[in-house]
Amino acid sequence: MTEPKNPDVRSFWAAFVPPPPAIGWGERVRGALGAALGIVLIGFVSAWWMGVGSSGLPFLIAPMGASAVLLFAVPASPLAQPWPIVGGNLIAALIGVTAARTIADPVTASAIALGLSIAAMSALRCVHPPSGAVALTAVLGGGRIAAAGYGFVLEPVLLNSLLLMIVAIAFNTATGHSYPHRAHATAKPAPDALTPADFDAVLAEYGETLDIDAADLRALYEDLRRRA
Protein backbone atom coordinates (compact mmCIF):
# COMPACT_ATOMS: atom_id res chain seq x y z
CA MET A 1 0.00 0.00 0.00
CA THR A 2 1.42 3.35 -1.08
CA GLU A 3 2.02 5.81 1.73
CA PRO A 4 0.62 9.31 1.27
CA LYS A 5 3.08 11.87 0.06
CA ASN A 6 4.61 14.33 2.45
CA PRO A 7 2.27 17.36 2.59
CA ASP A 8 5.27 19.68 2.55
CA VAL A 9 6.40 18.13 -0.75
CA ARG A 10 2.88 18.47 -2.20
CA SER A 11 2.65 22.11 -1.17
CA PHE A 12 6.09 22.77 -2.66
CA TRP A 13 5.09 21.46 -6.08
CA ALA A 14 1.64 23.03 -5.86
CA ALA A 15 3.29 26.43 -5.46
CA PHE A 16 4.58 26.14 -9.04
CA VAL A 17 1.00 26.39 -10.33
CA PRO A 18 -0.73 29.63 -9.29
CA PRO A 19 -4.38 29.55 -8.22
CA PRO A 20 -6.96 30.66 -10.81
CA PRO A 21 -7.31 34.44 -10.92
CA ALA A 22 -10.37 36.01 -9.33
CA ILE A 23 -11.27 37.83 -12.55
CA GLY A 24 -13.28 36.83 -15.60
CA TRP A 25 -12.25 36.59 -19.24
CA GLY A 26 -13.60 40.05 -19.94
CA GLU A 27 -11.01 41.61 -17.65
CA ARG A 28 -8.25 39.48 -19.13
CA VAL A 29 -9.18 40.51 -22.67
CA ARG A 30 -9.35 44.14 -21.53
CA GLY A 31 -5.76 43.96 -20.31
CA ALA A 32 -4.55 42.28 -23.50
CA LEU A 33 -6.24 44.84 -25.73
CA GLY A 34 -4.92 47.72 -23.64
CA ALA A 35 -1.34 46.47 -23.81
CA ALA A 36 -1.54 45.96 -27.58
CA LEU A 37 -3.07 49.41 -28.07
CA GLY A 38 -0.44 50.98 -25.83
CA ILE A 39 2.46 49.46 -27.77
CA VAL A 40 0.95 50.46 -31.13
CA LEU A 41 0.43 54.06 -30.05
CA ILE A 42 3.80 54.60 -28.40
CA GLY A 43 5.50 52.88 -31.33
CA PHE A 44 3.95 55.19 -33.92
CA VAL A 45 4.41 58.35 -31.86
CA SER A 46 8.00 57.52 -30.91
CA ALA A 47 8.88 56.68 -34.52
CA TRP A 48 7.41 60.00 -35.67
CA TRP A 49 9.12 61.97 -32.90
CA MET A 50 12.54 60.40 -33.31
CA GLY A 51 12.44 59.97 -37.06
CA VAL A 52 12.80 56.35 -38.08
CA GLY A 53 16.35 55.60 -39.15
CA SER A 54 17.62 59.14 -38.65
CA SER A 55 19.41 58.44 -35.37
CA GLY A 56 19.93 54.74 -35.71
CA LEU A 57 18.38 54.22 -32.27
CA PRO A 58 15.41 51.88 -31.76
CA PHE A 59 12.21 53.90 -31.49
CA LEU A 60 10.68 51.21 -29.25
CA ILE A 61 12.63 49.15 -26.71
CA ALA A 62 11.74 45.61 -25.64
CA PRO A 63 11.29 46.37 -21.89
CA MET A 64 8.18 48.39 -22.80
CA GLY A 65 6.44 45.09 -23.51
CA ALA A 66 6.98 44.04 -19.90
CA SER A 67 5.88 47.47 -18.68
CA ALA A 68 2.69 47.17 -20.74
CA VAL A 69 1.85 43.86 -19.04
CA LEU A 70 1.96 45.58 -15.66
CA LEU A 71 0.17 48.80 -16.62
CA PHE A 72 -2.73 47.14 -18.42
CA ALA A 73 -3.04 43.61 -16.99
CA VAL A 74 -2.38 44.50 -13.32
CA PRO A 75 -2.94 48.28 -13.11
CA ALA A 76 -3.57 48.11 -9.36
CA SER A 77 -0.09 46.72 -8.67
CA PRO A 78 2.26 49.05 -6.79
CA LEU A 79 4.85 48.14 -9.45
CA ALA A 80 2.64 49.50 -12.24
CA GLN A 81 2.02 53.03 -11.03
CA PRO A 82 3.21 56.14 -12.93
CA TRP A 83 6.21 56.94 -10.74
CA PRO A 84 7.62 53.39 -10.88
CA ILE A 85 7.45 53.17 -14.67
CA VAL A 86 8.84 56.65 -15.38
CA GLY A 87 11.21 56.92 -12.43
CA GLY A 88 12.32 53.29 -12.53
CA ASN A 89 13.07 53.27 -16.25
CA LEU A 90 14.81 56.65 -16.11
CA ILE A 91 17.04 55.66 -13.19
CA ALA A 92 17.88 52.27 -14.71
CA ALA A 93 18.78 53.87 -18.04
CA LEU A 94 21.05 56.44 -16.37
CA ILE A 95 22.83 53.78 -14.33
CA GLY A 96 23.06 51.40 -17.29
CA VAL A 97 24.62 54.00 -19.57
CA THR A 98 27.07 55.02 -16.85
CA ALA A 99 28.09 51.42 -16.23
CA ALA A 100 28.55 50.76 -19.94
CA ARG A 101 30.78 53.82 -20.31
CA THR A 102 32.95 53.15 -17.28
CA ILE A 103 33.27 49.34 -17.10
CA ALA A 104 34.87 47.52 -20.02
CA ASP A 105 33.65 43.99 -19.30
CA PRO A 106 29.97 43.74 -20.38
CA VAL A 107 29.07 41.02 -17.89
CA THR A 108 30.49 42.97 -14.98
CA ALA A 109 28.86 46.16 -16.25
CA SER A 110 25.50 44.38 -16.57
CA ALA A 111 25.65 42.98 -13.06
CA ILE A 112 26.63 46.30 -11.49
CA ALA A 113 24.03 48.21 -13.53
CA LEU A 114 21.28 45.84 -12.47
CA GLY A 115 22.26 45.75 -8.81
CA LEU A 116 22.62 49.52 -8.52
CA SER A 117 19.34 50.05 -10.37
CA ILE A 118 17.45 47.85 -7.94
CA ALA A 119 19.03 49.59 -4.97
CA ALA A 120 18.25 53.05 -6.37
CA MET A 121 14.67 52.15 -7.28
CA SER A 122 14.12 50.71 -3.82
CA ALA A 123 15.48 53.83 -2.16
CA LEU A 124 13.37 56.13 -4.34
CA ARG A 125 10.21 53.98 -4.09
CA CYS A 126 9.95 53.34 -7.82
CA VAL A 127 10.64 49.61 -8.17
CA HIS A 128 9.55 48.53 -11.66
CA PRO A 129 10.72 45.05 -12.76
CA PRO A 130 11.02 45.89 -16.49
CA SER A 131 13.53 48.59 -15.52
CA GLY A 132 16.04 45.80 -14.92
CA ALA A 133 15.80 45.03 -18.63
CA VAL A 134 16.25 48.73 -19.39
CA ALA A 135 19.55 48.71 -17.47
CA LEU A 136 20.75 45.65 -19.39
CA THR A 137 19.65 47.16 -22.71
CA ALA A 138 21.78 50.21 -21.99
CA VAL A 139 24.79 47.94 -21.48
CA LEU A 140 24.19 45.22 -24.07
CA GLY A 141 22.07 47.02 -26.67
CA GLY A 142 24.81 47.31 -29.26
CA GLY A 143 26.97 49.92 -30.90
CA ARG A 144 24.26 52.47 -31.75
CA ILE A 145 22.97 52.58 -28.19
CA ALA A 146 26.51 52.82 -26.86
CA ALA A 147 27.25 55.66 -29.28
CA ALA A 148 24.13 57.53 -28.21
CA GLY A 149 25.41 57.68 -24.63
CA TYR A 150 23.07 59.53 -22.31
CA GLY A 151 20.87 60.47 -25.24
CA PHE A 152 19.47 56.93 -24.95
CA VAL A 153 18.03 57.91 -21.57
CA LEU A 154 15.79 60.55 -23.16
CA GLU A 155 15.07 58.82 -26.46
CA PRO A 156 13.68 56.27 -26.47
CA VAL A 157 13.57 55.34 -22.74
CA LEU A 158 11.94 58.42 -21.22
CA LEU A 159 9.85 59.05 -24.35
CA ASN A 160 8.50 55.47 -24.40
CA SER A 161 7.82 55.50 -20.66
CA LEU A 162 5.90 58.79 -20.65
CA LEU A 163 3.81 57.80 -23.67
CA LEU A 164 2.94 54.40 -22.21
CA MET A 165 1.96 56.02 -18.91
CA ILE A 166 -0.34 58.50 -20.70
CA VAL A 167 -2.02 55.72 -22.70
CA ALA A 168 -2.44 53.65 -19.50
CA ILE A 169 -4.11 56.55 -17.69
CA ALA A 170 -6.52 57.13 -20.57
CA PHE A 171 -7.30 53.47 -21.27
CA ASN A 172 -7.67 52.30 -17.67
CA THR A 173 -9.85 55.28 -16.78
CA ALA A 174 -12.05 54.73 -19.84
CA THR A 175 -12.53 51.05 -18.96
CA GLY A 176 -13.51 51.67 -15.33
CA HIS A 177 -10.20 51.28 -13.50
CA SER A 178 -8.66 53.89 -11.25
CA TYR A 179 -5.21 54.65 -12.57
CA PRO A 180 -3.09 55.79 -10.85
CA HIS A 181 -4.55 53.22 -8.51
CA ARG A 182 -6.45 54.38 -5.45
CA ALA A 183 -7.35 51.96 -2.66
CA HIS A 184 -10.99 50.96 -2.47
CA ALA A 185 -12.77 52.76 0.35
CA THR A 186 -14.19 50.56 3.12
CA ALA A 187 -17.79 51.41 3.93
CA LYS A 188 -17.71 49.88 7.41
CA PRO A 189 -15.24 48.07 9.66
CA ALA A 190 -14.61 44.42 8.85
CA PRO A 191 -16.20 41.84 11.15
CA ASP A 192 -14.07 40.08 13.75
CA ALA A 193 -14.26 36.68 12.07
CA LEU A 194 -13.76 36.21 8.32
CA THR A 195 -13.63 32.96 6.40
CA PRO A 196 -11.36 32.13 3.44
CA ALA A 197 -14.42 32.44 1.20
CA ASP A 198 -14.89 36.03 2.37
CA PHE A 199 -11.39 36.97 1.20
CA ASP A 200 -11.93 35.27 -2.17
CA ALA A 201 -15.25 37.09 -2.58
CA VAL A 202 -13.73 40.50 -1.80
CA LEU A 203 -10.90 39.95 -4.29
CA ALA A 204 -13.42 38.90 -6.93
CA GLU A 205 -15.54 42.02 -6.29
CA TYR A 206 -12.55 44.27 -6.97
CA GLY A 207 -12.75 43.24 -10.63
CA GLU A 208 -9.02 43.61 -11.25
CA THR A 209 -5.85 41.70 -10.53
CA LEU A 210 -4.18 42.82 -7.31
CA ASP A 211 -0.53 42.19 -6.56
CA ILE A 212 -1.48 39.90 -3.66
CA ASP A 213 -3.31 36.59 -3.49
CA ALA A 214 -6.03 35.53 -1.08
CA ALA A 215 -3.69 33.40 1.04
CA ASP A 216 -1.30 36.30 1.61
CA LEU A 217 -4.21 38.60 2.37
CA ARG A 218 -5.58 36.16 4.97
CA ALA A 219 -2.13 35.83 6.56
CA LEU A 220 -1.81 39.60 6.71
CA TYR A 221 -5.24 39.89 8.29
CA GLU A 222 -4.44 37.31 10.97
CA ASP A 223 -1.09 38.97 11.73
CA LEU A 224 -2.84 42.30 12.16
CA ARG A 225 -5.41 40.72 14.49
CA ARG A 226 -2.66 39.22 16.63
CA ARG A 227 -0.84 42.55 16.76
CA ALA A 228 -4.07 44.32 17.77
Side-chain angles (χ1 to χ4, degrees):
M1 191 172 177
T2 305
E3 294 183 2
K5 293 182 179 179
N6 188 320
D8 291 335
V9 174
R10 290 200 304 269
S11 63
F12 172 79
W13 289 111
F16 281 80
V17 181
I23 57 172
W25 278 105
E27 176 61 18
R28 302 180 207 181
V29 171
R30 186 206 69 85
L33 289 177
L37 177 63
I39 292 298
V40 166
L41 290 177
I42 71 169
F44 277 120
V45 174
S46 296
W48 167 78
W49 180 272
M50 296 175 61
V52 179
S54 62
S55 66
L57 285 172
F59 60 88
L60 184 64
I61 55 174
M64 289 300 114
S67 292
V69 173
L70 285 172
L71 271 65
F72 295 95
V74 282
S77 169
L79 307 175
Q81 301 314 299
W83 171 234
I85 180 178
V86 176
N89 286 346
L90 185 62
I91 290 166
L94 283 168
I95 293 175
V97 170
T98 302
R101 292 167 70 90
T102 56
I103 302 172
D105 180 60
V107 175
T108 304
S110 297
I112 291 177
L114 181 59
L116 289 179
S117 295
I118 293 173
M121 287 189 291
S122 299
L124 296 173
R125 297 186 296 174
C126 57
V127 173
H128 187 64
S131 299
V134 172
L136 293 186
T137 301
V139 176
L140 305 173
R144 294 192 181 275
I145 289 178
Y150 290 102
F152 173 72
V153 177
L154 299 178
E155 294 178 355
V157 174
L158 182 59
L159 177 63
N160 283 180
S161 301
L162 287 173
L163 289 173
L164 190 62
M165 179 195 71
I166 292 169
V167 175
I169 291 173
F171 182 84
N172 285 316
T173 301
T175 54
H177 290 261
S178 64
Y179 187 85
H181 179 69
R182 296 178 295 279
H184 292 253
T186 302
K188 58 183 179 179
D192 291 335
L194 296 175
T195 67
D198 291 325
F199 287 91
D200 292 332
V202 169
L203 288 176
E205 289 171 0
Y206 268 49
E208 59 189 12
T209 302
L210 300 179
D211 202 21
I212 186 171
D213 63 25
D216 288 334
L217 191 59
R218 289 196 298 271
L220 177 63
Y221 171 73
E222 294 299 336
D223 287 342
L224 288 172
R225 288 188 63 194
R226 281 192 291 272
R227 179 175 291 272

